[in-house]
Amino acid sequence: MKDLPSAINALSSLDNHGLRADPVAYADLVKLCIANRAARHLHIHADAAPPETFLDNNLLNMYVKFGLLDDARALFDAMPERNVVSWTTMVSAYARARASSEESVKLLKMMRGEGVAPNMFTYSSVLRAAVAAREPRMLGQIHCGAIKHGLESDVFVRSALIDAYAKLGDPGDGFRGFAQNGRCDEALRLFVEMKRAGFRSSQATLTSALRACTGSARMEMGRQVHAHVVKFGPAAARDLILNNAVVDMYCKCGSTDEAGAAFARMRVRDVISWSAMIAGLAQNGRSGDALELFESMRENEPRPNHITMVGVLFACSHAGLVDEGRLYFDSMRTLFDVEPGREHYGCMVDLLGRAGRLDEALKLIEEMEIAPDGVIWRTLLGACKVHKNTSLAKHVAHRILELEPDDEGAYVLLSNTFAGARRWEGAETVRGAMRDRGVKKREPGCSWVEEEMRIHAFVAGDDSLPEMESIIGELKRLLSRIGDAGYVADAELALHDMEAEQREESMRYHSEKLAVAFAMTRAVVGKPIRVVKNLRTCADCHAFAKMGHKPINP
């Protein structure tokens, strides 16, 4: 019905006979009033309307469109039931009314207090209110709420955040909210959008960008961010936090040479600078350099702290320096006033475990002054697997499951320990117990490489990639080459009893090998290949990578 007067007369006739139109008819009438800008015709019938929420929402929308905010609020307050549409309509209405923008934020708090989850339109609206109120603190609270509800990556909310932070003085604040909540890829996409939009990066923004690169191992992107750091000139050279983030990024992404160059250029260094460099060298196989740098730190620079000592003990562990590691561990309190924590005990357990001193490692755990956690017990269990000590592995796995009954890592490591010792029945028993308890390996092994600012990820058994045929071809070529040089697949690492040929085949297509093969198809002479993993690499893939690293005649 397009004739508004006739529609109103029909509604009045129904009222006179004690009848009511159904909600759909009322909703159509509301739309007709809006189209004819005739709110007054329906306003007198509002009290007689049926109380369905969706009809009330239509009436709210009509009042708001005609600027009848007081009428809208009166209806809203009287509604017996309000949903996300009701709340968002009012939040948006107050946000557009600049004089009432603070009321918009109050309504958002009330909405959350009543258990109604805001949506992307709610947050987009209330962000406008924060801008209108010129309230940076309010903006930060809204941003935190968007993150809590998982809406910070929504295109509407993200655009509103960028706009709001820009108008209130620092778009970098919005970016840092993403980076600090572990959303590294989202943070970096937002950083790129900010640069394209012409926003100048503050030093705090660049620090957050570097940390996002570190968290996702994006070194190519990290280099781009570092270039922006250099543009700041002398101001950046004196920014300890920013320069520490540069060093840490290069270390965590595997380029200790670039980290060392950045460290050498720093005009001022603190204990974090030294600790990051020491840990970075140790984690990248340069234990000797790490310990040498530590001695230089002791002679010239700030007093080591607990983070420094983790890096030192890690270096000793990976270099097999048992005596030196014991000496550093025992002298932490007396020389550096550092109380050993779980991380330090974990490094010592790893050190002793790698050296095959499993009984000493167990004794150290049992004598700890603080309660050992699952991480420390898993470290010892990993050593049991390496040294094929199934009896101790069973004891350690039991201790882990006492702390974390559904820890799939304990089952997998114990099963692998039995498999490594060729005790297939024991391995299958553990797997059976894992199935009976409903424990599943939640996180598959994944490896990824960065190529031209893009991430390429690989999971064993996933053949959906369009390049898979060329990747498999390159992998077979690499296996043939290193096979001629003496490489033999470590088939004992297979997780269940099968023929040797089958076990070898099961190891061939692990994600690390696929990632290396892919990178080789795109390799540039003189440019290193960096593979990042979510889980610890298996011994066979480690051997494959080491053999592939050696010069081999084609």
Side-chain angles (χ1 to χ4, degrees):
M1 183 183 291
K2 302 296 183 183
D3 186 349
L4 179 60
S6 297
I8 294 296
N9 289 335
L11 182 63
S12 297
S13 178
L14 286 172
D15 290 343
N16 293 334
H17 288 82
L19 301 175
R20 289 186 177 181
D22 62 53
V24 175
Y26 263 102
D28 289 339
L29 187 57
V30 169
K31 293 176 184 176
L32 192 58
C33 287
I34 292 174
N36 287 272
R37 303 195 63 78
R40 58 187 175 84
H41 289 297
L42 189 62
H43 187 77
I44 60 174
H45 296 280
D47 291 338
E52 281 80 356
T53 303
F54 88 97
L55 176 56
D56 286 339
N57 287 341
N58 275 277
L59 289 169
L60 276 180
N61 184 49
M62 184 193 70
Y63 289 143
V64 166
K65 284 186 180 296
F66 289 123
L68 303 172
L69 196 53
D70 290 340
D71 293 303
R73 183 58 184 265
L75 173 60
F76 177 79
D77 290 341
M79 286 175 66
E81 185 176 332
R82 297 176 292 209
N83 60 19
V84 65
V85 176
S86 322
W87 286 96
T88 300
T89 300
M90 293 306 299
V91 167
S92 179
Y94 280 117
R96 285 195 293 268
R98 291 180 176 273
S100 305
S101 56
E102 291 187 9
E103 188 66 23
S104 178
V105 179
K106 290 179 182 177
L107 276 175
L108 176 64
K109 293 178 181 178
M110 290 170 59
M111 177 183 186
R112 292 167 60 183
E114 290 195 11
V116 181
N119 61 22
M120 68 285 292
F121 302 112
T122 320
Y123 276 110
S124 299
S125 298
V126 83
L127 281 165
R128 290 197 299 269
V131 172
R134 306 299 299 174
E135 280 285 351
R137 183 181 59 83
M138 183 190 298
L139 177 54
Q141 293 172 348
I142 297 168
H143 190 176
C144 289
I147 292 170
K148 181 178 179 181
H149 285 92
L151 294 170
E152 74 276 15
S153 59
D154 176 81
V155 63
F156 293 106
V157 177
R158 185 169 58 196
S159 298
L161 280 167
I162 295 173
D163 181 65
Y165 277 115
K167 289 177 178 175
L168 291 179
D170 187 3
D173 285 342
F175 163 72
R176 288 194 291 277
F178 290 98
Q180 290 168 1
N181 282 275
R183 302 294 293 272
C184 297
D185 289 337
E186 287 291 332
L188 291 173
R189 277 195 287 271
L190 183 55
F191 177 76
V192 171
E193 288 179 22
M194 286 168 51
K195 301 308 296 180
R196 287 175 179 168
F199 293 119
R200 179 178 173 82
S201 299
S202 67
Q203 288 165 250
T205 302
L206 292 173
T207 300
S208 295
L210 288 164
R211 288 173 177 163
C213 292
T214 302
S216 56
R218 299 283 297 271
M219 192 168 77
E220 294 300 325
M221 176 68 80
R223 285 196 179 106
Q224 297 291 325
V225 179
H226 188 194
H228 288 288
V229 173
V230 173
K231 291 178 183 178
F232 269 95
R238 291 188 294 270
D239 191 319
L240 258 176
I241 296 176
L242 181 57
N243 283 287
N244 286 344
V246 171
V247 171
D248 190 51
M249 183 274 294
Y250 281 123
C251 283
K252 296 283 177 57
C253 291
S255 181
T256 51
D257 287 342
E258 287 173 281
F263 180 79
R265 286 193 298 268
M266 291 178 69
R267 296 183 182 179
V268 181
R269 304 185 187 105
D270 63 2
V271 66
I272 297 175
S273 321
W274 288 89
S275 299
M277 196 67 225
I278 290 167
L281 290 168
Q283 290 165 356
N284 286 279
R286 296 175 58 178
S287 295
D289 292 335
L291 296 176
E292 185 177 327
L293 186 63
F294 175 64
E295 292 304 324
S296 177
M297 176 185 182
R298 291 180 62 184
E299 292 173 5
N300 304 301
E301 294 288 342
R303 189 185 189 90
N305 65 11
H306 69 285
I307 298 174
T308 318
M309 297 312 300
V310 170
V312 170
L313 294 174
F314 188 93
C316 292
S317 172
H318 283 249
L321 303 174
V322 177
D323 293 337
E324 291 84 345
R326 281 189 179 280
L327 182 62
Y328 283 126
F329 182 78
D330 292 339
S331 62
M332 283 172 55
R333 286 192 186 95
T334 55
L335 294 183
F336 312 120
D337 197 27
V338 175
E339 196 70 25
R342 286 192 179 89
E343 300 94 336
H344 307 104
Y345 279 104
C347 287
M348 287 302 298
V349 170
D350 187 51
L351 171 60
L352 294 169
R354 286 172 181 267
R357 301 185 183 185
L358 303 182
D359 291 337
E360 292 180 49
L362 177 62
K363 186 173 183 291
L364 178 65
I365 294 175
E366 291 174 340
E367 294 176 350
M368 283 177 58
E369 297 178 11
I370 52 179
D373 59 7
V375 175
I376 290 177
W377 284 113
R378 276 190 290 273
T379 301
L380 181 54
L381 185 54
C384 292
K385 180 177 81 71
V386 171
H387 296 286
K388 301 180 173 60
N389 190 325
T390 56
S391 60
L392 181 56
K394 288 165 62 178
H395 169 72
V396 174
H398 177 70
R399 297 299 297 268
I400 295 173
L401 295 174
E402 284 182 335
L403 294 171
E404 304 168 19
D406 294 324
D407 177 49
E408 79 278 7
Y411 287 101
V412 173
L413 273 172
L414 182 57
S415 176
N416 288 355
T417 303
F418 279 112
R422 305 184 68 82
R423 293 180 56 181
W424 309 115
E425 184 178 347
E428 185 54 39
T429 298
V430 174
R431 290 282 168 167
M434 190 175 179
R435 288 191 296 269
D436 292 342
R437 289 189 59 89
V439 178
K440 296 181 179 179
K441 187 178 180 182
R442 291 188 291 268
E443 187 175 18
C446 178
S447 301
W448 59 94
V449 292
E450 184 182 15
E451 184 232 359
E452 295 183 354
M453 309 277 278
R454 291 181 57 208
I455 292 293
H456 300 268
F458 303 88
V459 177
D462 180 10
D463 57 359
S464 62
L465 294 175
E467 309 97 331
M468 190 53 70
E469 186 176 345
S470 63
I471 292 172
I472 296 299
E474 178 64 18
L475 178 56
K476 289 179 178 178
R477 187 183 73 85
L478 288 172
L479 289 168
S480 175
R481 289 179 63 191
I482 64 177
D484 292 341
Y487 164 78
V488 178
D490 190 349
E492 288 187 353
L493 291 174
L495 300 181
H496 48 80
D497 193 5
M498 56 176 70
E499 295 298 324
E501 187 174 332
Q502 292 176 302
R503 293 199 298 272
E504 183 173 333
E505 185 70 14
S506 74
M507 307 297 296
R508 181 171 295 177
Y509 301 114
H510 275 192
S511 63
E512 299 95 315
K513 295 187 181 75
L514 295 175
V516 169
F518 168 81
M520 288 293 289
T521 64
R522 312 291 183 93
V524 176
V525 176
K527 185 177 181 180
I529 292 172
R530 292 182 173 87
V531 178
V532 184
K533 273 193 61 61
N534 63 332
L535 302 175
R536 186 172 182 172
T537 189
C538 76
D540 181 68
C541 288
H542 188 251
F544 166 83
K546 284 202 305 183
M547 291 292 293
H549 180 67
K550 295 178 180 178
I552 302 173
N553 293 325

